[in-house]
Amino acid sequence: MNILLIDDDRDIRLLLKMLLSNYGHAVSECDNAPGALEICQLESFPLMVLDWELGEIDGIQLCRQLRALPHGDESVILMFTGRNSPEEIQMILEAGANDYMQKPADIKWLKIRLQIAIRQAENQMARKQAERQLAIARTKEVEIGSKIQQNLLLGKPPLRYHGIEIAARSIASRKVDGDFYDFYPHDDACFDLVIGDVMGKGIPAALLGAAIKSRILQAMNELKSQTRGLPPDLSRILSYVDAEVTPQLIELGTFVTLVFVRFYLEKKQIGMINCGHPRTIHFRNSEKKSVVIPGDNLPLGVLANGAYSVQTFSYGAGDLIFFYSDGITEARNAQRVFFGEERVVSFVHEKNRLPLGEFIDGLCQTVEKFSGTDALNDDRTCVAVKIMDSGNSSCSDVLELDGQRGSLARIREFVKEFCAAMIGETGDLQPVNRIVLAVNEAASNVIRHAYKDHPGGPLRICVSHQDRRIEFLIEHRGQPFQPPVLETERFREPRESGMGLYIIDEIMDEVEYLVRGDGWNTIRMVYDLRLK
Amino acid sequence: MLLTLDINTDYRVANFICDELDAENSEQFAREIETHLLPGMHIIFDMKNLRFIDSSGLGVLLTCKRKLQDAGGIMKLCCLSVTVREILELVRLVRVFEIYDSREAAIQSIPDSLN
């Protein structure tokens, strides 16, 4: 190791250097305090031997200054001095030195004390190295956890349920926790969603969350084979999962809260099993009232072979059903007051007319403002389901054609006709041109890039509207792509390429690029006339 | 054919015959105009017939502008429809091109020695 000797006595420095070099260490010397401080700002020394008497700045002051340097606590400092009163030894220790040796020293004792100091420094180095590796491992754990969360814990809301809009968001705390949600479309009239929270933190909780999701899917597939493909009962699914996971959860000493929900779109009903999760909030548009739906099932992992009761309730046009994790309600402010369910209910009641993305962002910002910090103690997870108003009846149309350049004119005509018919004679037709351009750009990108290697592949343009929101789904079987993050600044300079994505982003209110598992890829775009 | 050309000694007016310029025909447009991108040339694009242009068409226009500029020439646009002008405004290209309301105004803007 590197050792620094600071002593104004040349003979002492020579002696110590000889002894330390014999042990195989590299030794640097300095005869004054300012010089030593300068050296230590450029290089670190696991062991330093200081003299007390150094001139204007003595060894005591130097020791304090060395300890004040970044990483100054990582060195072993040994004071080598003739002073030996208890008060002086106390000063040495209070200045931050680890030990002292008394001058003059018998050479044998000097060797022993130096070896002790060297051993101390080696142990210190090993401990610091272990701490650094632990910090790296922890950072890596968080990165892995974040990837687990994004890839395994958070599902994508289904797209094509007319009259229903779904938004979901999970904001991870500094450490990855066990919040998860997923969606299970059964058919055009029925889908399930689950939102859950595993007790505990870090990768173990995240892995358990992923396991629970996987078990739910396994249960559905297994039970569907018995129900000839019909969606199995919610309680049967959960009992199946319970039988699989509760023994392990009990053994691990953990539990999982969740809400398991089924939407029956034709009957406009919801079936729900709440297992210890924060209560669901339902804004009923017809009554202009927000109600809290209680849950009366125990979390998974509390009791084996639990029975699960399903609650059923109806919904109507304009309703909002809101599910969330306790990271929202248990956020605390500086006075240690919880954000609480009541505040969430108030927010739902006041802000339910917002576009869902803004609604969820708004709630998260409100919680952050309340807590006075953006540091999270727990994940904050929300799933919001909006039932569209029936103000304008939904309608839809589909155009199927080959993905080649000659199809673009037909696509523009199709979009123009649909939008013009939807907006109607009394409406403002100006948006139509912008919408046509954006859809043209998206289709053009698919034709030129997604189908670059095999032109003419199938292209499907689906358009629907509900409550003055027009949704376009451009579906293809070409190469999927994720667009780069747009830099608005670059369009201050003229560019010969790259304008298409910018145009789409500028015109459309929502844009998503989705890869489905069945070979079809989708560009989803929404133009919201309510926002214009 | 997408364009007809009115050829003068030092300037040309390119008249769009097609009413849409998109990914299907923008490459053909680029080929048709290429031979007219001569050193020192002034080209006026008369866009009165053009009802739609997308990013592919805009990209070709920008390429023409760059090539002409590099060769000491100038490019102007005239008679833009409301739709085409809105598209240029959307992608912030209205201040990149010289745009005139009429063909005559575009021609008159050419220096006298060339007009």
Side-chain angles (χ1 to χ4, degrees):
Chain A
M1 75 176 77
N2 293 336
I3 300 174
L4 180 63
L5 304 175
I6 309 150
D7 199 312
D8 59 353
D9 188 324
R10 182 172 163 270
D11 292 335
I12 300 263
R13 294 201 311 272
L14 277 174
L15 171 64
L16 291 174
K17 185 170 183 177
M18 182 192 70
L19 292 174
L20 291 168
S21 298
N22 284 344
Y23 294 129
H25 299 292
V27 182
S28 302
E29 308 172 51
C30 189
D31 63 3
N32 66 87
L37 207 54
E38 204 174 311
I39 292 172
C40 288
Q41 283 170 345
L42 298 172
E43 192 179 343
S44 64
F45 297 91
L47 175 60
M48 293 187 270
V49 183
L50 312 188
D51 182 23
W52 186 307
E53 311 294 346
L54 286 174
E56 197 178 326
I57 301 175
D58 64 20
I60 294 292
Q61 286 176 279
L62 175 60
C63 188
R64 288 199 192 98
Q65 289 172 1
L66 289 172
R67 286 300 190 211
L69 290 174
H71 307 293
D73 60 335
E74 293 183 0
S75 304
V76 170
I77 298 179
L78 185 63
M79 193 76 85
F80 190 26
T81 176
R83 299 186 187 221
N84 63 354
S85 73
E87 293 76 22
E88 287 164 333
I89 305 305
Q90 186 66 31
M91 282 174 68
I92 289 171
L93 294 177
E94 283 173 2
N98 297 87
D99 204 348
Y100 82 102
M101 291 187 300
Q102 195 172 348
K103 290 178 182 175
D106 177 83
I107 194 82
K108 288 181 188 170
W109 281 116
L110 191 56
K111 283 185 184 177
I112 290 170
R113 296 307 298 276
L114 285 174
Q115 285 178 79
I116 292 173
I118 289 167
R119 190 173 297 180
Q120 217 177 340
E122 285 170 347
N123 288 342
Q124 181 113 316
M125 281 170 63
R127 195 177 72 249
K128 288 293 177 192
Q129 176 68 3
E131 283 172 7
R132 274 191 286 272
Q133 283 172 345
L134 186 59
I136 292 170
R138 282 190 177 139
T139 303
K140 193 75 189 162
E141 181 184 332
V142 171
E143 283 171 13
I144 291 171
S146 178
K147 282 185 184 163
I148 288 175
Q149 186 152 52
Q150 292 305 316
N151 294 332
L152 296 183
L153 295 181
L154 307 179
K156 288 205 178 296
L159 297 177
R160 299 187 60 181
Y161 286 105
H162 293 305
I164 297 266
E165 189 187 346
I166 305 172
R169 199 79 47 85
S170 186
I171 304 172
S173 58
R174 278 171 293 186
K175 292 184 181 178
V176 174
D177 293 329
D179 279 13
F180 61 92
Y181 56 75
D182 208 357
F183 305 87
Y184 309 90
H186 294 294
D187 53 44
D188 287 343
C190 177
F191 69 91
D192 295 350
L193 79 86
V194 67
I195 172 170
D197 186 0
V198 177
M199 187 193 82
K201 296 192 186 299
I203 288 183
L207 287 174
L208 268 175
I212 299 290
K213 269 186 55 181
S214 170
R215 287 284 187 268
I216 292 174
L217 192 58
Q218 180 187 352
M220 281 195 198
N221 290 335
E222 177 75 27
L223 293 171
K224 262 187 185 175
S225 65
Q226 301 169 18
T227 58
R228 297 181 192 172
L230 294 174
D233 289 343
L234 288 179
S235 54
R236 278 196 73 197
I237 296 171
L238 217 45
S239 295
Y240 184 107
V241 174
D242 172 69
E244 292 279 315
V245 306
T246 292
Q248 280 83 20
L249 292 175
I250 291 173
E251 195 174 321
L252 291 168
T254 188
F255 60 85
V256 179
T257 69
L258 60 85
V259 184
F260 194 20
V261 186
R262 178 162 294 167
F263 282 77
Y264 302 91
L265 301 182
E266 284 173 355
K267 293 192 286 186
K268 293 188 171 34
Q269 278 190 342
I270 291 170
M272 186 171 80
I273 299 177
N274 186 328
C275 299
H277 207 69
R279 302 190 293 181
T280 300
I281 300 170
H282 180 191
F283 171 76
R284 294 186 187 154
N285 187 44
S286 58
E287 301 166 48
K288 296 290 184 277
K289 195 169 129 181
S290 296
V291 297
V292 173
I293 315 285
D296 53 8
N297 298 285
L298 290 174
L300 290 181
V302 173
L303 272 183
N305 303 316
Y308 296 96
S309 62
V310 182
Q311 296 160 283
T312 307
F313 57 96
S314 301
Y315 63 81
D319 284 10
L320 176 71
I321 301 104
F322 186 58
F323 313 91
Y324 57 96
S325 68
D326 60 6
I328 301 271
T329 42
E330 292 182 4
R332 289 203 224 201
N333 62 11
Q335 288 72 42
R336 312 290 290 164
V337 172
F338 286 117
F339 188 79
E341 182 186 81
E342 209 174 304
R343 286 191 175 85
V344 182
V345 174
S346 294
F347 188 89
V348 169
H349 195 73
E350 288 162 21
K351 305 288 185 185
N352 62 81
R353 302 298 292 176
L354 285 175
L356 278 194
E358 283 180 40
F359 171 84
I360 289 182
D361 285 344
L363 176 62
C364 293
Q365 283 160 17
T366 302
V367 175
E368 186 179 313
K369 198 173 166 187
F370 172 85
S371 66
T373 174
D374 58 359
L376 309 181
N377 288 328
D378 196 359
D379 289 357
R380 288 179 193 158
T381 301
C382 309
V383 176
V385 181
K386 181 73 188 245
I387 314 301
M388 307 309 286
D389 277 328
S390 55
N392 284 326
S393 60
S394 73
C395 71
S396 63
D397 204 352
V398 178
L399 174 69
E400 295 189 359
L401 64 181
D402 293 335
Q404 53 192 356
R405 294 180 191 225
S407 298
L408 288 171
R410 178 72 191 99
I411 292 169
R412 291 195 293 269
E413 191 187 323
F414 168 73
V415 172
K416 191 172 178 178
E417 283 172 5
F418 182 91
C419 292
M422 189 215 85
I423 290 171
E425 289 181 2
T426 58
D428 176 13
L429 289 175
Q430 193 184 28
V432 176
N433 293 334
R434 289 167 68 89
I435 294 169
V436 167
L437 176 62
V439 177
N440 174 90
E441 293 296 339
S444 181
N445 281 342
V446 169
I447 290 165
R448 289 184 299 136
H449 303 299
Y451 279 139
K452 184 179 172 188
D453 294 331
H454 47 280
L459 190 58
R460 205 153 65 197
I461 316 293
C462 310
V463 56
S464 62
H465 91 89
Q466 180 87 29
D467 193 30
R468 297 183 63 73
R469 282 168 50 90
I470 313 174
E471 181 185 76
F472 300 90
L473 300 176
I474 298 171
E475 300 177 333
H476 65 94
R477 296 182 71 87
Q479 276 291 109
F481 66 97
Q482 278 294 336
V485 173
L486 290 178
E487 301 153 18
T488 312
E489 283 302 315
R490 69 179 181 160
F491 281 101
R492 302 202 191 281
E493 300 289 328
R495 295 279 295 230
E496 291 165 32
S497 64
M499 278 181 278
L501 293 176
Y502 175 80
I503 288 171
I504 294 167
D505 209 58
E506 276 292 293
I507 292 174
M508 289 294 175
D509 296 297
E510 294 170 33
V511 183
E512 281 183 286
Y513 296 83
L514 302 157
V515 178
R516 287 156 48 178
D518 57 357
W520 285 92
N521 304 299
T522 305
I523 303 173
R524 175 180 172 267
M525 303 183 291
V526 175
Y527 190 89
D528 194 337
L529 288 162
R530 300 173 305 182
L531 300 177
K532 307 294 180 269
Chain B
M1 195 164 63
L2 304 174
L3 301 167
T4 61
L5 271 296
D6 298 336
I7 297 176
N8 294 275
T9 311
D10 296 302
Y11 74 90
R12 304 196 175 175
V13 180
N15 307 288
F16 275 95
I17 301 175
C18 61
D19 61 354
E20 293 178 330
L21 190 60
D22 63 7
E24 184 187 7
N25 58 8
S26 57
E27 285 175 6
Q28 181 185 346
F29 165 61
R31 284 193 299 273
E32 287 185 23
I33 198 64
E34 180 71 31
T35 52
H36 300 280
L37 302 179
L38 301 167
M41 180 57 62
H42 288 232
I43 295 189
I44 298 167
F45 286 95
D46 186 339
M47 302 174 80
K48 70 170 177 295
N49 291 324
L50 202 65
R51 294 284 163 251
F52 176 84
I53 186 169
D54 72 0
S55 60
S56 303
L58 292 170
V60 174
L61 284 180
L62 276 171
T63 303
C64 288
K65 180 179 188 303
R66 179 178 55 77
K67 285 183 175 178
L68 269 175
Q69 230 167 332
D70 289 346
I74 293 180
M75 183 174 124
K76 299 170 194 284
L77 308 180
C78 71
C79 308
L80 272 61
S81 67
V82 170
T83 305
V84 170
R85 181 178 278 271
E86 280 177 358
I87 294 170
L88 261 68
E89 283 171 354
L90 177 71
V91 294
R92 306 179 197 204
L93 287 178
V94 279
R95 57 187 175 85
V96 171
F97 294 112
E98 278 185 56
I99 298 176
Y100 297 86
D101 288 339
S102 68
R103 181 191 182 104
E104 291 69 31
I107 292 172
Q108 284 199 355
S109 73
I110 297 169
D112 281 340
S113 61
L114 299 177
N115 192 345

